[in-house]
Amino acid sequence: MLPSGEYWSRGLLGVLTAVVLLWALASGVGTALAASDTVTTELQPGWNLAGWTEDEASVETLFAAIPQLVVAYAWDADLQRYRLAYRDGETATGDLETLSPGIGLWLFLEGEETVAWERPLVLQAGLAELRRGWNLVTWAGDDGIATGVALAELEGILLETLGGDGSAPQTLEKGRPVWLRISSAKQWWQLTPPPRIEFRGDFTPAQMRERRAYVDDVVAFFVRRHGVAVPGLTVLFGDEEADMTCGGYAARTLFIRNPCITALPHEYSHAVQHHLAVRDAEGNWGGGRGEERIGPSWLSEGIANYAAAVYEDLIGIGSLEQWNADALDVGLANSNSLEAIETNMGVGGDAGANYHLASLVTGWIVENQGEAALYDFYDVRNEVFRWRSAFHEAFGMPIDQFYKRFEDHRASLAAQRPQVAGKVIGPGGEGQAGVRVEALPQGEGKAWRMNTDDTGAFSGVALEGTYRLSLFLGDTPCHLGWYGGEGYTTSRVAITVLDLPEDARTGIVIQLPRPASELCTTIRGALVDVEGNPYTEPPWVVAWPLHDQDGYTGKDGDGSGMFALDVRTGATFELSLHSYYVRECVVSPHPSLVPDPGAKARVSVGEQDATGIVITVTTGPRRIKEAVGCTAAR
């Protein structure tokens, strides 16, 4: 699943139309997952119509495979004319130089004997890049299928269909081309039904066309680049009520929120991973083998990140070079290990930084083992009961050894970067363990985190930009203050701003006025409905600070309607709920409530936890999740 964020999509259909030729660049990377089928065509002396169904190759490969071949023609749908190659001694001459999977060929054979031309049928041969006008396309699907059934996906744009003899064919033969006259460009995937597309909400016809074209394009990318397509998928656009960020994948369905159209390549990659790991011998969805977990979360998300980055680079809306640079910066600065995010990408409270770490290790895998290794793991996982065993087989080493090698690699890169380092101490000079030190950008820059060890020491790679150092207790949202003034401050105006890397410091000392654990307390309570029963939706409960601090405290209520919010001692907070259903929330009388002219529920906390707070909620029908400020009961 992608972390939240806005994704550019305006004018995407025009971009896809303009760059459709780029898929030739994306092919040939490695097709370990390609179909292993073969096709045989009987070639007669004289002229024959046959399809190239193999991987991309030079035209000399064709002449070498068929010694009787004298002349070959291929139709260029972009120029709406033929390209020619003819035998010239041991080589071939003409403007037909490269054979792409799925192109149709006119072949002239000399001699008097029939030639049985047997060749592989790769998955990419089933993807046709149709252009407006005439196209000579090889059929790669079921042999003998009725033409109307085979071409059903082209309804609305198919103007005319002709066979090699100039008449409309009743059936299609695998490996034989067919002439198609098309009214508009389309990427036609022949081998499995295309994803079913659903729209929820208000979409104009143009927006629906844009999204359908984008789905076609993403499917084509995975076929061209990785030799794989996922059958039986549903793509659901615009489910604004779904409990997700930008996109998600579950149960053979891709969920794409309306502003996040370009989340699709990331989520389709998850579908590829899932299908490869659980498919049956015929390539259909199966039940999987062994333990439920398919593989480590960092690998799943890293591969999905990489697929999206490559795709966006190809169509010109992103930069793979910049993606690698961002992954390197934030991945080096991330204090988490791969093992820490093996099952949970949210460890440490900064999923974005963990996604960058996953991207960094994925780029390292590609650099050392190639792209094919990424999805090969899931191919192996299909036959192995435990994902750790599959990892060992796919990558040639146990997971623990892989972790060590990557950490050594990351440490060697980090050693070449400027560092920020220091110590957090208590009032008596004792080191404060478990303090999270966040470097937050004041302007340009990428946030990163450091954590103090048992001695209170912290260190990390200094990323370029201007930063403030903000302190939190462990993994909680309880904000302790900042680095500034004499070393520690709770005033935003006294913050010390670091201009990095020039101002990288390694001797920072931040002395807290009290032990870190004593600077935080907890607001605890219960959510109930109007009848006094536990309210268990549960909503996101928020304590919004009325003082200077970074961030706020928010946490889901639990299944029994209870909530607990870690906050700074000696401060006041406004309570609110973020929910699909809540319309009103009222806090019952409590000693911690302070008067407010607007009747807002404001809780003042001292040295002890504020416990026993009761919030009564009034609900309505489900809607888009909204924030509802709570009031104090009169």
Side-chain angles (χ1 to χ4, degrees):
M1 178 180 289
L2 279 176
S4 60
E6 293 299 318
Y7 290 84
W8 177 89
S9 65
R10 188 180 301 275
L12 186 59
L13 182 59
V15 173
L16 298 179
T17 303
V19 301
V20 73
L21 286 176
L22 284 173
W23 297 130
L25 301 176
S27 62
V29 173
T31 56
L33 306 176
S36 58
D37 200 1
T38 61
V39 62
T40 301
T41 303
E42 297 292 331
L43 302 178
Q44 306 295 329
W47 287 107
N48 298 265
L49 188 59
W52 181 258
T53 62
E54 304 181 41
D55 286 322
E56 183 175 285
S58 67
V59 73
E60 284 81 6
T61 306
L62 175 64
F63 282 89
I66 309 173
Q68 298 88 341
L69 179 62
V70 178
V71 178
Y73 282 94
W75 181 252
D76 188 325
D78 290 301
L79 300 178
Q80 293 289 290
R81 70 170 181 83
Y82 282 108
R83 291 185 179 274
L84 162 71
Y86 59 90
R87 189 181 294 277
D88 185 8
E90 297 298 321
T91 185
T93 300
D95 62 351
L96 174 58
E97 299 177 345
T98 303
L99 304 174
S100 300
I103 66 169
L105 299 167
W106 281 105
L107 307 175
F108 185 84
L109 274 64
E110 63 182 0
E112 299 180 356
E113 296 183 358
T114 298
V115 175
W117 181 28
E118 183 179 3
R119 59 219 185 267
L121 175 62
V122 300
L123 200 67
Q124 288 86 339
L127 179 65
E129 305 282 0
L130 301 179
R131 303 291 188 270
R132 182 181 179 183
W134 284 104
N135 299 262
L136 185 57
V137 178
T138 299
W139 173 249
D142 292 340
D143 203 19
I145 189 172
T147 302
V149 174
L151 305 182
E153 178 65 16
L154 304 181
E155 183 179 358
I157 64 170
L158 179 61
L159 303 177
E160 196 170 356
T161 306
L162 297 175
D165 61 358
S167 64
Q170 299 302 305
T171 61
L172 299 184
E173 178 185 344
K174 182 184 290 188
R176 291 280 190 185
V178 60
W179 284 103
L180 304 175
R181 189 162 68 91
I182 302 296
S183 62
S184 60
K186 180 178 175 61
Q187 301 196 69
W188 177 36
W189 174 237
Q190 306 171 5
L191 299 186
T192 59
R196 186 169 62 91
I197 300 175
E198 294 183 17
F199 295 96
R200 292 186 181 176
D202 296 326
F203 289 88
T204 66
Q207 288 173 327
M208 288 190 283
R209 285 195 302 272
E210 178 185 42
R211 282 154 177 77
R212 291 184 188 280
Y214 195 54
V215 171
D216 287 346
D217 207 62
V218 169
V219 171
F221 166 74
F222 277 88
V223 171
R224 293 287 194 210
R225 188 88 181 187
H226 299 292
V228 62
V230 182
L233 281 183
T234 296
V235 181
L236 177 57
F237 283 107
D239 190 1
E240 300 306 313
E241 295 183 351
D243 192 11
M244 61 182 180
T245 49
C246 245
Y249 167 75
R252 307 180 198 176
T253 301
L254 308 181
F255 302 90
I256 309 296
R257 297 192 73 174
N258 198 17
C260 305
I261 180 173
T262 53
L264 187 64
H266 181 103
E267 303 306 339
Y268 191 89
S269 176
H270 286 312
V272 169
Q273 297 164 24
H274 184 203
H275 180 248
L276 290 176
V278 305
R279 74 194 190 286
D280 62 20
E282 284 72 42
N284 300 313
W285 286 94
R289 294 169 61 86
E291 61 186 354
E292 181 178 356
R293 175 166 290 278
I294 293 175
S297 295
W298 59 261
L299 182 62
S300 174
E301 297 299 345
I303 291 174
N305 287 350
Y306 179 79
V310 171
Y311 176 81
E312 291 182 5
D313 185 80
L314 279 170
I315 69 170
I317 65 171
S319 165
L320 184 60
E321 181 179 0
Q322 186 60 51
W323 179 85
N324 279 312
D326 291 343
L328 181 61
D329 281 349
V330 184
L332 291 182
N334 191 336
S335 60
N336 283 328
S337 65
L338 289 181
E339 190 171 9
I341 59 173
E342 194 174 272
T343 61
N344 180 7
M345 294 298 291
V347 168
D350 188 358
N354 292 335
Y355 274 72
H356 280 296
L357 177 58
S359 297
L360 178 62
V361 68
T362 302
W364 185 60
I365 291 172
V366 171
E367 180 181 349
N368 287 279
Q369 300 193 34
E371 282 189 1
L374 301 179
Y375 294 102
D376 280 352
F377 164 75
Y378 297 97
D379 209 27
V380 173
R381 178 67 179 87
N382 185 262
E383 299 295 330
V384 178
F385 275 75
R386 298 188 180 279
W387 75 259
R388 290 176 181 272
S389 300
F391 190 96
H392 191 170
E393 182 175 338
F395 292 102
M397 68 184 77
I399 188 73
D400 292 342
Q401 183 180 346
F402 180 91
Y403 285 157
K404 184 179 185 308
R405 287 193 180 182
F406 176 70
E407 287 305 324
D408 289 345
H409 168 70
R410 188 160 63 140
S412 68
L413 294 176
Q416 303 169 31
R417 299 287 192 96
Q419 303 285 310
V420 169
K423 195 170 186 179
V424 179
I425 59 176
E430 64 279 10
Q432 297 295 294
V435 174
R436 187 172 84 249
V437 182
E438 294 195 7
L440 301 176
Q442 290 287 96
E444 295 294 323
K446 309 179 186 78
W448 84 92
R449 299 182 175 197
M450 300 165 281
N451 293 285
T452 60
D453 61 18
D454 291 342
T455 69
F458 64 89
S459 64
V461 172
L463 301 185
E464 185 174 354
T466 54
Y467 293 89
R468 64 187 182 276
L469 299 184
S470 194
L471 311 180
F472 297 83
L473 181 64
D475 287 338
T476 77
C478 178
H479 184 247
L480 307 178
W482 295 277
Y483 169 53
E486 298 299 319
Y488 168 79
T489 183
T490 56
S491 172
R492 193 176 290 273
V493 297
I495 291 172
T496 296
V497 176
L498 303 179
D499 189 359
L500 302 176
E502 291 80 6
D503 199 19
R505 305 179 184 184
T506 57
I508 294 171
V509 177
I510 305 174
Q511 186 168 25
L512 304 179
R514 299 164 61 184
S517 60
E518 295 181 12
L519 291 174
C520 294
T521 188
T522 305
I523 299 173
R524 300 180 186 274
L527 301 163
V528 298
D529 61 23
V530 292
E531 296 179 352
N533 300 313
Y535 182 66
T536 59
E537 176 207 346
W540 180 255
V541 186
V542 174
W544 194 261
L546 299 183
H547 60 273
D548 266 355
Q549 77 166 58
D550 278 325
Y552 63 91
T553 295
K555 192 173 182 180
D556 283 327
D558 65 21
S560 61
M562 307 301 292
F563 65 89
L565 306 173
D566 297 310
V567 296
R568 189 195 297 176
T569 58
T572 302
F573 301 84
E574 286 185 358
L575 299 181
S576 63
L577 304 181
H578 203 220
S579 167
Y580 294 112
Y581 302 99
V582 173
R583 299 293 189 269
E584 183 181 14
C585 54
V586 178
V587 180
S588 299
H590 190 275
S592 66
L593 287 174
V594 296
D596 173 65
K600 295 179 180 178
R602 292 183 170 179
V603 176
S604 178
V605 295
E607 304 296 321
Q608 304 298 319
D609 291 352
T611 62
I613 292 175
V614 177
I615 303 177
T616 301
V617 301
T618 302
T619 61
R622 183 182 171 106
R623 62 181 180 184
I624 295 174
K625 187 176 283 188
E626 293 184 4
V628 177
C630 296
T631 58
R634 295 187 181 277

